[in-house]
Amino acid sequence: MSLRNLGPDQTRKLNKQDSKLVLAHMYFAMFNLLLGGVAALLQVLVRSGTLELPAGIGYYQLLTIHGVTLALVFTTFFIMGFQIAAVSRVCGDLTSTQRLLSWIGFYTMIIGTVAAAIMILLNEATVLYTFYAPLKAHFIYYVGLALVIVGSWISAAGQIMRYVQWKRENKGAKSPLLSYMVAINNVMWLVCSLGVAIEVLFMLIPWSIGWVERVDVSLSRTLFWYFGHALVYFWLLPAYMVWYVVVPKIIGTKGFSDNLARMSFMLFLFFSIPVGIHHQLVDPGIDAFWKYIQVVLTFMVVIPSLMTAFSLFATFEIFGREKGAKGLFGWLKHLPWNDSRFILPFIGMLAFIPGGAGGLVNASNQMNQVIHNTIWVTGHFHLTISTAVVLTYFGAMYWLIPYCSGRILSKRLNKLALIQGYTWAVGMSIMSGAMHFIGLFGAPRRSDYSEYGGAEQAKEWIAYQAVQAVGGTLLFLSILLVLYICVQLAFFAPKGHEVFPVSEAFDRDEKVYPLVENWKFLIVVTIALILIAYTVPVSQMLLDPAPGAKGFGKGQVW
C-alpha cells in the first residue's frame, strides 16, 4: 500500500524554521489533549456515580480544566500551527518578521495558558471555562485567557501578512485557495474575539479585582456569545480546509470547485458572527424581535454548510465514476478505506450531518425551549466539535507532523490510526448518543452526580450517565493512542518525505467570482451585518442597564 503516491507537485517541503514552529504548536496541543482527556475521563466516571473524587478536587474544577484545555487551548494551538503550515506550503516560506510574529504569538499563548491553568488548579477559577458572569474567577485567570487570545492575534497577523505578500507579488492572479481560507478564518477570528476582549478588559477584570462591585450579566453574556458562536466556526473552518483542499488529493482527484469553496467561506465570514443571541433565547433583557433576527441569520449559515456537503460528495462521486463506478452508491467502494488520512476526516463529515441537524434544533425558538440547558446541548457540542472537527484534526496531524519532522506515516502507524479513528467514533457515538437521549428526558448539563433527593425523574437519568462513562472511557483510550502515534511520527517513525496534500480544483483556471476576494467588500458587509444584529440590543442594555450581580466563586454561595 502506498500512502504517498500523490504526484510530483506535492514534493515541496517547509524549511526547517517553519517546520520547527509548526511542530512546537502541535506538541503543546498534544500536551493539552492529555490533560483535558484525563479530566474528561474523571468527569464521566464521577457523573455516573462510579468514582468519588478525593478531598480537595471538585467536579466543577475538572469540568473547567476539561473545557479550557480541550475546547480553548488544544484547538487554538492546533489551528495556529496548521494555518502557519498551510500558508507556508502554498505561498512560500515565511519571512523572518512573519516567523517572529508567530513565535511571539506562540509564547504569549503559552504564558496565558500557564497562568489560567494555575488559577484553575488552585480552585480560584472554577467557572466552567466560559467568561460567564456572575461566576467569578481570579483576575489572573481572565488575564491568562486574554493573553491566549492576544497571542493568537499576533500569530494570525503573521499569516495574513504572508497572504498579502503573495497577493502583492502576484498581482491579478488567483490566490491559492488554502491561503484564502486561512485569511478568512483569521479575519473572522479577529473580528469576533473583539467581543470577549471588551468583556474581559472592561467588565470582568475590574470586577474580579474589586474595582467595581457589580457586573451587568446581560451585557457580559451578549458580548461573550458575540464571540462564542463564531468561536465554533473558528474551530470548524480548518476542518473545512482539510475537507475541501486536502482530502481530494488524498483520494486521487481534484476538488469540485475552487469558486464554490471560496464563496462558502465568504458566507461563513458574513453569517458566523451576528448570530450569538440565539444562545440567549431564554435570557431576559433582549427583545423578541432581535432574537428572531439572529435566528434568521443563524439559519443562513446552513447555506454554506450545504454547499460544502454538496461539494464534498460530488468530489467523491466524480472520483468513483472516473474509476468505473455504477449505480447510485457504487462510487463508495472506490474510496481509500485503508487510509487513515481519509477515513478520519470522512467520519468527521458523516458526524457533522446529525450534528448540524441538532444545531438547527438548538437555534429554533420553540425546540430550544425543550432542550435548553439540558445535556442534549453537551451531546450536540461533542458530536460537532469533538467528532467532526477533532477527528479531522487528528487525521491532519497524521500527515502534518511527519511532514514537518522528516518522517513518514508507515503502514503500521496507519493501521493504528485507523483503530484510533474507529475507537473515537464508537466512543463518541455512545457518549453523545446517551447525552442526546437523556437531555430529552430533562437531565441538566453541567451537573455533578446526584439522585436529586430520590426524585423519580432523576432515576431514569443514572443509567444513561453510566453509558456516558463507557463512551468516555473508550474516548480516553483513543486519546492515548493518538498521543502514541504522534510521538512515533515526531521522533521514531522511519525517516522519509511525507507530503502536505494540496489538490487543484476542476475550475482552477476560471476567474474568481466578483467581490469574493474583494476585502473591502467582505469587511464592510461583515461589519454591516454585525451592526444590524447588535446595535439596538446592546444600546438598550447600555441605556437601561441592569442592577448587576456581585458574583460568586470560591468560598461564595448563591
Side-chain angles (χ1 to χ4, degrees), residues 49-79:
T50 57
L51 175 69
E52 187 171 334
L53 293 171
I57 301 177
Y59 174 83
Y60 298 104
Q61 190 178 12
L62 289 175
L63 197 160
T64 306
I65 294 170
H66 171 58
V68 169
T69 54
L70 292 187
L72 293 181
V73 180
F74 165 74
T75 54
T76 302
F77 275 87
F78 172 85
I79 291 166

Side-chain angles (χ1 to χ4, degrees), residues 167 172-175 177 257-263 505-518:
K167 294 280 290 181
K174 180 189 292 188
S175 64
L177 175 58
S257 172
D258 180 288
N259 278 323
L260 183 147
R262 290 176 198 263
M263 185 167 289
F506 287 109
D507 62 350
R508 62 165 293 186
D509 296 325
E510 293 185 14
K511 293 183 178 179
V512 177
Y513 292 147
L515 302 179
V516 169
E517 210 162 352
N518 182 326

Side-chain angles (χ1 to χ4, degrees), residues 356-368:
L360 298 180
V361 171
N362 298 345
S364 301
N365 187 59
Q366 293 88 342
M367 288 187 285
N368 181 272

Side-chain angles (χ1 to χ4, degrees), residues 252-288:
T253 188
K254 297 180 179 180
F256 179 73
S257 172
D258 180 288
N259 278 323
L260 183 147
R262 290 176 198 263
M263 185 167 289
S264 71
F265 269 62
M266 177 188 74
L267 294 176
F268 278 122
L269 174 63
F270 291 164
F271 297 112
S272 62
I273 303 173
V275 298
I277 286 177
H278 83 245
H279 289 269
Q280 299 172 266
L281 291 177
V282 302
D283 283 13
I286 303 174
D287 289 346

